Amino acid sequence: MKQMGKLAWALWFGYAFLYVPIALLIFYSFNESRLVTVWGGFSTKWYAELLQNDQLLGAAWLSLKVAAMSATASVVLGTVAGLALARFGRFRGRTLFGGMITAPLVMPEVITGLSLLLLFVALEQAIGWPDGRGMTTITIAHTTFTMAYVAVIIQSRLVSLDESLEEAAMDLGARPAKVFFVITLPIIAPAIVSGWLLAFTLSLDDVVVASFVSGPGSTTLPMVIFSSVKFGISPQINALATLMMVVVATGIFIASLVMARQERQRKRDEQMAVQGG
């Protein structure tokens, strides 16, 4: 019983360590006072002023677009890379390929950002593309390092996948492409959704790499927040962060419901297949 009590206290301490700062941020987003840490009464005026702040709204919209595009591209490329690592066996160059895919996981962000900046400058001088730094270069840079996380997630799911299902489908005459879209893709769908959400979050949170590859007029929200912290945190940032957390939490909740429903449907299909056999 004593061990259970200590475990419960450790669990509550962990929850408090993770979520009390977030709760404080939400609490002070309704603060009347301009001083962020001095409570001056309940008010929603910072949310109203936020809607008039074109700089913050523009930066938030740019960050959401970049995060959505880079997460989608990372899922496509990461899924292909995960399939190659999990299903193609020991082909020539596999070790080098795996190392190149996972290198962004351990590469310092400063080095990643600097190397991508040099690449974009060299490409612009050689072929004229990209024309300056902006949303395109930020999206490419974010895709570069978020793809590695997606590839690891997809590879882990494919390694634990029962290949007898795909072999049975091919024995019945299904082509490899049909097996992938009808059998493999639905099974690894939860991993794909998880990879997309992780890539979206990493892109939305990045400030170091974006600082290297962004240009005038393409400032992301983390860059705006980071630069404004030097002059004091505005209560509008608390309001904006609260709204973004609500959006992200809603998306994660909906994705969890969809994945739980798919998992229940998959178990029902497996039980029906066993009973039918």
Side-chain angles (χ1 to χ4, degrees), residues 228-257:
S228 65
V229 167
K230 300 175 182 175
F231 306 100
I233 300 175
S234 168
Q236 293 181 26
I237 293 178
N238 288 350
L240 179 60
T242 301
L243 292 177
M244 292 187 69
M245 280 191 290
V246 170
V247 171
V248 172
T250 303
I252 293 174
F253 179 71
I254 294 174
S256 301
L257 289 179

